[in-house]
Amino acid sequence: MSSILNIGAIMQDADLTPDEDDEPVVMTSTEWSVWAYLVTVVLTSGTYLTLMAVRLAGQPVDQVEWVVPMLWTLGVSVLGTVALTIVLTIAGTITTTIVRHIVAFCRVGHGDTTVRLPDVETEPDARDKEISLRGDQALVAVLGAGFVGALVLAMLDADTFWIGNLLFVVGTLGAIAETTTRIRLYRRGF
């Protein structure tokens, strides 16, 4: 019983500040761009596919206008990724700097005067390159399977709507596979 009551005293004496090597991994600008790409691809592709589903419900396949909306979707996806990457990188840099200064202030308050604030990572490092390679491998696996499906549709003389949209969906699934693989590796490691 006395050991249970003594927990408060033990907790007061405990050093709860993290060790230098226990600091969280900082998101690099490359990781911010991966998140931006994932969000943009999901939103733009979801919008396009919803539009196509609505159009298919109301008219025959050969009358569905799909080329222009697909081109707009691809363009908005690229521009949206660039814009969102810029916004997330700026916001992430500001947030990281503020948090690091708060942590440094707390450590100085505990008597640690050797606080070092590392710079925010802006250049890709070896880890970024390895993660990018693994993401590309996931992308290629999905694209390979999808291209076989497109070839089969072409051999069966399917309407270009189905071939074009299969390739679009495969590209979307490949982008999702690539980005989720990269994000998982950034957050959990190899």
Side-chain angles (χ1 to χ4, degrees):
M1 179 76 169
S2 64
S3 64
I4 294 174
L5 296 175
N6 202 15
I7 290 178
I10 293 170
M11 291 302 289
Q12 286 177 344
D13 293 336
D15 180 19
L16 299 177
T17 58
D19 294 333
E20 276 300 311
D21 62 346
D22 287 345
E23 291 185 21
V25 177
V26 177
M27 287 180 79
T28 64
S29 58
T30 305
E31 187 177 357
W32 286 116
S33 68
V34 172
W35 277 102
Y37 182 40
L38 176 63
V39 168
T40 306
V41 164
V42 168
L43 290 176
T44 56
S45 297
T47 302
Y48 171 79
L49 293 172
T50 302
L51 176 65
M52 288 302 107
V54 168
R55 287 185 177 184
L56 276 174
Q59 54 192 321
V61 172
D62 58 345
Q63 294 178 359
V64 173
E65 174 59 37
W66 61 275
V67 176
V68 172
M70 184 183 287
L71 292 174
W72 272 103
T73 300
L74 295 172
V76 169
S77 184
V78 169
L79 294 176
T81 299
V82 170
L84 193 54
T85 297
I86 291 168
V87 168
L88 288 177
T89 301
I90 291 170
T93 302
I94 291 169
T95 304
T96 301
T97 302
I98 291 170
V99 168
R100 287 178 183 272
H101 280 82
I102 290 170
V103 168
F105 179 76
C106 291
R107 285 189 181 162
V108 169
H110 284 90
D112 184 2
T113 58
T114 60
V115 175
R116 183 183 74 75
L117 296 173
D119 295 329
V120 176
E121 300 287 330
T122 56
E123 294 297 321
D125 57 10
R127 182 173 144 249
D128 287 323
K129 291 175 184 170
E130 180 65 27
I131 288 172
S132 180
L133 177 65
R134 300 265 179 108
D136 290 345
Q137 290 170 343
L139 170 67
V140 168
V142 173
L143 291 181
F147 289 164
V148 169
L151 282 172
V152 169
L153 286 178
M155 290 174 194
L156 296 173
D157 287 328
D159 191 84
T160 55
F161 171 87
W162 296 114
I163 297 170
N165 279 286
L166 173 64
L167 291 173
F168 179 82
V169 168
V170 165
T172 298
L173 293 176
I176 292 170
E178 175 193 12
T179 54
T180 55
T181 299
R182 290 173 72 177
I183 289 168
R184 182 178 47 82
L185 290 172
Y186 273 119
R187 296 290 99 206
R188 296 191 181 154
F190 295 93

